[in-house]
Amino acid sequence: MKGQEPQQAGEFDYIIVGGGTAGCLLANRLSADPANRVLLLEAGGRDNYIWFHIPVGYLFLIGNPRADWMFRTKPSPGLNNRSLIYPRGRVLGGCSAINGMIYMRGQAADYDQWAQMGLKGWSWADCLPHFLRHEDHYAGTADLHKGGGEWRVEEIRVRWEILDAFREAAAEAGIPKVPDFNQGDNFGSSYFQVNQKKGLRWSAARGFLDPAKGRPNLEIRTDSEAMHVAFEGKRAAGIVYRRGGRLEFAKARRRVVLSAGAVQTPKLLMHSGIGPAAHLAEYGIETRLDRPGVGANLQDHLQLRPVYKVSGVRTLNTDYANLLKRGWMGVEFAFFRRGPLTMAPSQLGVFAKSDPRYATANLQFHVQPLSLDKFGEPLHPFPAFTASVCNLRPTSRGAIRLASADPFVAPEIDPNYLSTEEDRQVAVDSLRLVRRIVQQPALQRFRPEEHSPGPTLQSDAELARAAGEVGTTIFHPVGTARMGLADDPMAVVDARLSVIGCEGLTIADASVMPTITSGNTNSPVLMIAEKAAEMMLADDRQALAA
């Protein structure tokens, strides 16, 4: 393909690169006006595989090249030089087609912090209407929720006594029960609300793309992997991409919109000559715009997974091992859309503080009625639960960097976990908090025994070392093309999500977050895309009128 001239593949008002969570919403919103001709490019295929729709299907999608980019991280010193799998969705719907389906906005303080950084229009009060615009909440329009939108939110469809007991134990340890995590302050415990509809996964492709895909002004091209943005002077003129073994060029009259995610968006920028000049020079890429912030500022939630054996209570470990119960799971799902096959990876959430000095919760628990050594391995043969806990606001920063001048080679992913003393201390404190909750009367009746990391580990040094041995990603990378003010050398986009120093180039995905939100990141990405669409349409109307 080297030296091949790209074939002309049409002219569009808007070209969206990445048909994931943000891209599906953008395609819907930008094509709502029939005067706008819109192209959506997706490197993966369509979500026409049964496991994209059955909630437990994530078990068969993560690590499957039909659905996953199959990335791995660099060995991380903070994780005792371990390399981790780094799943990212490669299908229409993106990560919303393979993720844990948890509906979570984060904390009001997250967005207010963005506004305090000078990012006008990004406070909680500014962002909440954009969450609400597309929400279809099971409770309808009430209590900071709304019905009738495209993004379906429902209650979980299976309950476990062991999770009820953990929630009660958390209350005994001083963490209150709350009805809803999405009111602005998520401190407390509750059952997660999930993006499902009648027991099936509700991805961004189903919610936003399906209603729009019949529009004559929207074209969707799958199996189309972007190589680089093409420019005319300082203006983004279109995209060169590979489809069916040939190169094609699609021209953009108004904007190119990158929504390829926190890994692929900075990679695409760097292959387009936008990034740290010295790094681009290493691979013989001519620098079009020296932006050292491209690929920097990588943040992610690192989860630690304490496992406790229990007695006298059901868990999925033992139910799944029983062939009759396993068969009933299938019947229950097929006829009633209930039971374990509707389960998100986690059902019970707890938001807590590792230390009283934090103004808001800085820990999130994903509590599960099951256990295993690591993702992809069999469930343990004994009854157990997992109290996965992550630091919501890590101070460690990693980076995305090129690994080759070839645009089809995966980038180098270096999350740099546990590289700060604060993060190591939060990890230690979070493991101690798990033990304090487990020691409460509500759980003691099930005689919990710490299986991992192990009760013999008591000192801070021992627990910090254990965190490095067992910590793994919870799949929330953000920040690699962050928002900032025009005079901030590390900023990549401004508050209107336009790439600083370019014309006609917008980014709308998790990469623009200056700091990570305090919880699961999928629905905040939809909010970002909602705001991006509104701002782009307004700015373009103004430009046309001028």
Side-chain angles (χ1 to χ4, degrees), residues 169-222:
E172 292 170 343
I175 303 166
K177 297 178 183 180
V178 296
D180 183 3
F181 287 136
N182 290 296
Q183 301 291 304
D185 181 357
N186 50 22
F187 179 72
S189 74
S190 191
Y191 285 93
F192 288 123
Q193 297 168 5
V194 291
N195 295 118
Q196 294 182 6
K197 190 167 189 176
K198 298 180 180 178
L200 296 175
R201 175 189 288 275
W202 196 248
S203 71
R206 298 199 69 193
F208 298 96
L209 203 55
D210 283 358
K213 64 184 180 184
R215 295 173 182 168
N217 62 324
L218 172 62
E219 185 169 345
I220 302 167
R221 295 177 186 170
T222 55

Side-chain angles (χ1 to χ4, degrees), residues 73 76 78-80 82 84-86 299-306 362-366 387-396 415-419 423-424 426-428 430-431 464 466-477 516:
T73 69
S76 183
L79 302 185
N80 300 336
R82 289 185 297 122
L84 303 179
I85 63 168
Y86 216 65
Q299 299 158 61
D300 190 15
H301 289 145
L302 182 75
Q303 65 172 336
L304 312 177
R305 296 175 52 84
N362 70 313
L363 299 178
Q364 180 181 6
F365 289 82
H366 293 77
S388 171
V389 59
C390 70
N391 178 358
L392 288 171
R393 294 186 292 276
T395 54
S396 299
N416 202 27
Y417 296 117
L418 298 177
S419 58
D423 285 358
R424 291 189 290 272
V426 170
V428 169
S430 67
L431 291 173
E469 290 169 358
V470 303
T472 187
T473 177
I474 206 164
F475 319 134
H476 297 162
I516 195 166

Side-chain angles (χ1 to χ4, degrees), residues 103-125:
Y103 180 69
M104 188 68 59
R105 296 172 181 166
Q107 298 170 2
D110 298 332
Y111 305 100
D112 288 341
Q113 180 186 3
W114 296 0
Q116 289 159 12
M117 295 167 67
L119 299 171
K120 185 179 179 181
W122 289 96
S123 71
W124 170 250

Side-chain angles (χ1 to χ4, degrees), residues 44-46 48-50 52 61 64-68 70 90-91:
R46 297 184 180 271
N48 54 359
Y49 178 42
I50 189 171
F52 284 122
L61 298 172
N64 180 343
R66 182 171 186 167
D68 185 356
M70 308 287 288
R90 183 185 171 117
V91 63

Side-chain angles (χ1 to χ4, degrees), residues 117-136:
M117 295 167 67
L119 299 171
K120 185 179 179 181
W122 289 96
S123 71
W124 170 250
D126 294 318
C127 293
L128 182 58
H130 295 87
F131 281 110
L132 294 174
R133 179 176 177 185
H134 52 250
E135 188 180 41
D136 183 21

Side-chain angles (χ1 to χ4, degrees), residues 305-322:
R305 296 175 52 84
V307 171
Y308 286 82
K309 295 181 180 180
V310 289
S311 303
V313 66
R314 284 180 57 225
T315 73
L316 188 60
N317 289 11
T318 45
D319 277 13
Y320 188 77
N322 184 305

